[in-house]
Every structure is written in structure tokens, then in C-alpha cells.
Amino acid sequence: MEASEAVRRIFWRHRWLLLILMILPAAAVVPLKMHQQVTYAATATLQGQGTTPSADIQVQAIQSRVSAVAKDPGLVQSAITKAKVSRDATQVARHEITVTPMGSSAIMVLTVADPSADTAMALAGSLSSAVVNRLNELGVKDNPELAALGKTSSALAARRNQLLSQLGSTNASNAATSVPVQSLLSQLGAVEQQQATNESQTQQILASLTSETGASVVSVPTFATGVSRHVAVDAVLAALLGLVLGLLFATLREVIRPTVGQPGTGARELGAVLLGGSDARRGRIVRLDQDLPERLNLAAHRAGVLTIVLNGPGPQDRLAALAARLREELPPPERADARSAWVRATARLDRGHLGDDPVTNGDGRRPVLATDRPTDIAAARPQKQQRTVVTMNDIRLGAPPPDAALVVVLPRFAPHGALDQAADLGVTADWPILGVIGIRRLGWLAALRSRPAASPEPRVPDARRPDARAAEVRDPDTLPDLRVPNDIHLGEREDD
């Protein structure tokens, strides 16, 4: 399937559905956003730690730590109490507090939103102070490494005191030569060495935690700005969502029930030609393409058929109206005689303009005129049987039409199964498919524009013009019958 055909079947066929699915969500979102209460945002700037981060991942870690502290409901409740306002701490912590980094530094921007500008500034100021105090406490308070080192230090201190008490109870005179005293002294030295190591590790951890915290308030909010309700952005997003849903529905519909975008596409799939199109409105055929009858006549003449059967999807009344309109365009067999009579009348009228003295050939004899022949050439030829156009409802099972051919009538976006049905009908009835006629459904405005203009009156040639006299003196027995395509009418196509 070509890209243009896919666009026509999915986008153009479902254009109104796509347009509605885009407009309705956007129209529903805009009033909801416009009726939302206006909120104000106050921002406070604080430093997350004393050292500058060396990588973006460290900035993200600082932001996560500050955000986790700032959104603690207990801390938020203390900030609300300090600001002397009445707010739900849980609601504020979940939806009204945001923390964003400022570049690649440890500076964080704490934003608090509230329907009141004064309340937003008060909450942002009190919350920034509470967050800084909590950040400085983190790492020292309840640190697992410091807690383990503290327990080891307490155990070592108790062991040292125990060893000192045992040494005090031993006889001092025998201390130099007593084996127990020497053992106690070595144990005491080992305990003191462990205490020194433990103290050194504790100092290193405290120094590291102090350098990684160092949080402080850089600035407190002095004003609050109105927060945008993002009406346009949300409306566009809603329209895009509706467009995606509409495209999904249109694609599924085309997959389940495929269609033919244009009559020309159906003609190519049937291996036939597009004979032309017609305009229909409310079951009536408003207009036919100018060359449709001629093309249909030429196709039927080449196939040697007399009955043209119209078949296709859609209401049968429309097919019947198209058949009736085509039958009107098919002239009766007497049309050739009428044209010859009109030519003879025109020639007599021209001779009346010339006067009583006819034009001679120089030898006194009047030339032979085409209109002076006793029998017209077209009238002398045997009349052909008139072709007719019918629908499937006009055909009876007991009397199938002889020499019939099939013409498929397709509107835009016709079901693809109609092509298979037409091909099966042609094989079953042994009817060739002459071609395809397109149906265009028109609205009232297009129907007014497509009204045919009044046909002008046929111009009678003026005998006083030189070209008119030259046409009179032509001998039809010696000169060929010259015609242009517009002179070939239905029912009088010449074999030679």
C-alpha cells in the first residue's frame, strides 16, 4: 500500500473523528485548569553540604538527601507550627514542596507553594531553617559506625578499670617477681592501645561527617510569585492524547475492515480503467464527467457488448439513478438521421443567403452538394442496436441479458470486499469488466457549484463566409468524412 493511500484511508477518511477526539479533551481540560485556584511559590536557597561536589552523581545525592529531609511530615509540621499557619503537613509535604539543584554545586533551591503568598513565604523561611539544622545533625546522630566505636570504647574502659583494680589488690613487694602482676600489666597495656586506636577512628569519622554536612541557609524568600496553571500545555497534551487514540482506532478499523481510498485505486486492483466520475447528492446524480459517456461507449464498442450492468457497494437507489442518467446520455439510433436533416436544413438556409444564381464550376454546371443527395450517408447505413445501462435489480434470472459487460461503481472509501464481489460476479456470469465509475458525494454547497450551465444554441454557419462555401462544395463521394472526437456520439461510432 502506498503512503498516499495509507494517509488517505487513515487520516482523511477519519478526519472528523480525529478532529473531534482532539478538540473534546482540550475543551475539557481548559475549563478545569481555568477554574483552579491560583497558587503562589516562595523560594529559599540553602547549601546542602560544605564541600563542593566533583561529579553530577554527587549533586543528585545531595538533592535526594535535602529533598528527603524537606518532605519529612514531622519536620514540615514543626515548620507549620513555627510559621503559625494552619495547613495539612502531609498534603504540603507530598504536593507543595520541591527541591531543585542550582547548576553543579551543592546549592539547592527549596520552593513552597500555597494559595496565600504570605503563608508561602513564612513556610519557606521556617522550613529552610529546619532542613539545615536536620542536615547538620545527620551523620553524627545515630551513626552506626560511631555507635559501634562508642560501644567498643565503653567495653575497653570497663576492662581497663577492672585491670587497675586487680593490680591494686596485689602485694606491691611481690610485684616485680610475681607472674600474675606481669600478666595484668601486659593486658592493661593492650587495652590502652585499643582505646587509643578507637579514639583515632572516631576522630576521623567525625572529621569526615563534618566536611560532608556543613549545611546553611543562603537566602530566605522575600516575595512570592504566582504559579502558572499551564493551561496551554495541558490542552496541547490532551489534544495529542486524543489524536493518538483516534489514530489507534482508525488503524484498527482499517485493519479489520479495509477500504479502497479512491476509485482509481480500485480500478488498478481490478486490472481495469477508470472511466470517469459522477457527483451524487441525496441519492440523485447531479452531474456526470464530460467525457464519461464517450469513454463508456468506446469501451462497450471495443468489447462488443450491448448491455452495461452497473454493480457496486452502496444504496441501490443511487445505482438506479446513475443507470437512468447514463441511459439519458445514450442517444437513440435516429440521432444520426436528425443530424443529417439538420445539415440539410443548414445548407438550404445557406443557399437562400447566396441568392438565385448558384456558384458554378466554370463550365456552367453547379457543383454537387452533400445536401443534394437523395439519401444521407449516415441514414443509408444499417442502424445499430441501441446500448442500454441496467443494474443488477433490473436483471431477471430467467432472462439474462445477451452481450453484457460489468461496470463497477465505487465511492470513496468503498469496502475492499466489493472488489472481490465484483470480480466473482464477472467470473460467474462470464461478463468482462469494462471499467470503474467513481461516485462523489456532494454537500449542498458543492451541489450548487456543480450545477451545469445552460448549453449554448448551435451556431448556424454563415454562407457569406468563405469557409462556409468551401464546406458546401465538398464532394462526399471523393472526400473522406472528417470528424473530431467530439463529433463521435453514443450509438453512432463508425467501424472504419
Side-chain angles (χ1 to χ4, degrees):
M1 181 174 59
E2 299 178 356
S4 59
E5 182 71 11
V7 171
R8 188 179 295 112
R9 289 168 54 183
I10 295 178
F11 284 91
W12 184 250
R13 181 190 180 192
H14 304 88
R15 60 190 182 277
W16 297 114
L17 175 64
L18 297 178
L19 187 62
I20 291 174
L21 290 180
M22 289 178 62
I23 293 176
L24 287 182
V29 167
V30 170
L32 292 177
K33 285 293 183 179
M34 293 299 295
H35 284 81
Q36 281 186 353
Q37 189 177 10
V38 180
T39 58
Y40 298 90
T43 58
T45 308
L46 52 91
Q47 181 177 264
Q49 69 179 25
T51 58
T52 303
S54 58
D56 292 339
I57 190 171
Q58 295 181 359
V59 176
Q60 296 176 2
I62 297 172
Q63 179 187 2
S64 300
R65 184 166 62 248
V66 175
S67 179
V69 173
K71 293 184 178 182
D72 182 16
L75 190 66
V76 174
Q77 183 60 50
S78 64
I80 291 174
T81 303
K82 184 178 179 181
K84 298 179 181 180
V85 294
S86 177
R87 294 290 185 272
D88 186 2
T90 304
Q91 186 71 15
V92 173
R94 290 181 178 178
H95 305 288
E96 308 298 340
I97 297 175
T98 56
V99 177
T100 55
M102 184 178 292
S104 59
S105 64
I107 304 299
M108 300 293 157
V109 178
L110 177 65
T111 304
V112 179
D114 193 84
S116 173
D118 297 335
T119 303
M121 289 189 294
L123 283 177
S126 60
L127 184 61
S128 60
S129 300
V131 169
V132 167
N133 295 333
R134 180 64 62 85
L135 287 175
N136 289 328
E137 293 177 359
L138 290 177
V140 178
K141 182 180 179 181
D142 298 332
N143 188 279
E145 295 182 0
L146 290 179
L149 290 175
K151 290 181 180 180
T152 304
S153 179
S154 301
L156 291 174
R159 178 62 177 167
R160 181 176 179 276
N161 293 333
Q162 182 183 2
L163 292 173
L164 289 176
S165 61
Q166 289 180 1
L167 286 172
S169 61
T170 305
N171 189 359
S173 60
N174 299 328
T177 59
S178 177
V179 176
V181 172
Q182 293 296 328
S183 176
L184 290 175
L185 289 175
S186 63
Q187 292 180 14
L188 181 60
V191 169
E192 289 178 350
Q193 182 65 32
Q194 292 178 3
Q195 283 183 334
T197 304
N198 192 7
E199 185 68 22
S200 176
Q201 293 179 356
T202 303
Q203 293 299 327
Q204 290 179 1
I205 293 175
L206 288 176
S208 177
L209 292 176
T210 302
S211 63
E212 290 181 358
T213 56
S216 61
V217 178
V218 178
S219 65
V220 294
T222 57
F223 62 92
T225 58
V227 179
S228 175
R229 289 173 286 190
H230 305 289
V231 178
V233 175
D234 292 342
V236 171
L237 292 177
L240 290 178
L241 179 61
L243 177 61
V244 170
L245 293 177
L247 290 177
L248 180 61
F249 175 78
T251 304
L252 290 177
R253 184 182 179 187
E254 286 296 327
V255 170
I256 296 174
R257 299 184 63 184
T259 58
V260 180
Q262 291 288 347
T265 305
R268 288 193 298 270
E269 293 192 18
L270 289 174
V273 297
L274 181 63
L275 298 174
S278 59
D279 299 332
R281 182 172 182 265
R282 295 180 180 178
R284 297 184 299 106
I285 302 301
V286 179
R287 187 182 67 86
L288 296 176
D289 286 353
Q290 184 176 2
D291 55 348
L292 174 59
E294 284 76 6
R295 290 189 177 190
L296 186 61
N297 178 49
L298 292 175
H301 177 81
R302 180 177 181 179
V305 297
L306 299 176
T307 304
I308 301 173
V309 183
L310 301 183
N311 185 33
Q316 295 298 321
D317 296 341
R318 187 173 61 191
L319 289 178
L322 179 59
R325 184 64 179 269
L326 290 174
R327 282 195 297 268
E328 292 177 0
E329 297 294 335
L330 291 175
E334 293 79 10
R335 182 168 181 176
D337 298 337
R339 283 173 48 83
S340 300
W342 180 81
V343 172
R344 289 194 297 271
T346 304
R348 294 192 187 98
L349 181 61
D350 293 341
R351 287 200 306 274
H353 287 293
L354 290 174
D356 297 332
D357 187 14
V359 179
T360 62
N361 290 331
D363 54 356
R365 293 185 296 104
R366 185 174 64 86
V368 179
L369 301 179
T371 54
D372 292 338
R373 299 179 63 189
T375 305
D376 189 75
I377 297 176
R381 292 193 180 105
Q383 296 293 338
K384 299 180 181 179
Q385 188 175 356
Q386 183 182 6
R387 294 188 180 93
T388 183
V389 182
V390 297
T391 63
M392 289 299 298
N393 292 338
D394 300 330
I395 299 176
R396 298 294 180 264
L397 295 178
D403 300 331
L406 190 65
V407 173
V408 184
V409 180
L410 293 178
R412 289 192 304 173
F413 309 113
H416 195 275
L419 302 181
D420 300 333
Q421 294 177 2
D424 294 342
L425 178 61
V427 172
T428 303
D430 196 16
W431 292 342
I433 298 179
L434 293 182
V436 175
I437 296 177
I439 292 289
R440 297 181 294 265
R441 286 191 289 265
L442 300 181
W444 63 272
L445 183 59
L448 291 178
R449 293 178 178 177
S450 63
R451 285 184 178 179
S455 57
E457 294 292 335
R459 185 174 61 88
V460 179
D462 190 358
R464 291 170 294 182
R465 297 176 55 187
D467 55 350
R469 285 182 190 158
E472 283 186 355
V473 299
R474 189 186 62 151
D475 188 358
D477 294 332
T478 59
L479 296 180
D481 187 10
L482 301 179
R483 296 189 182 187
V484 296
N486 290 336
D487 296 331
I488 302 176
H489 296 276
L490 296 175
E492 22 174 278
R493 185 185 187 281
E494 303 298 334
D495 295 331
D496 299 329

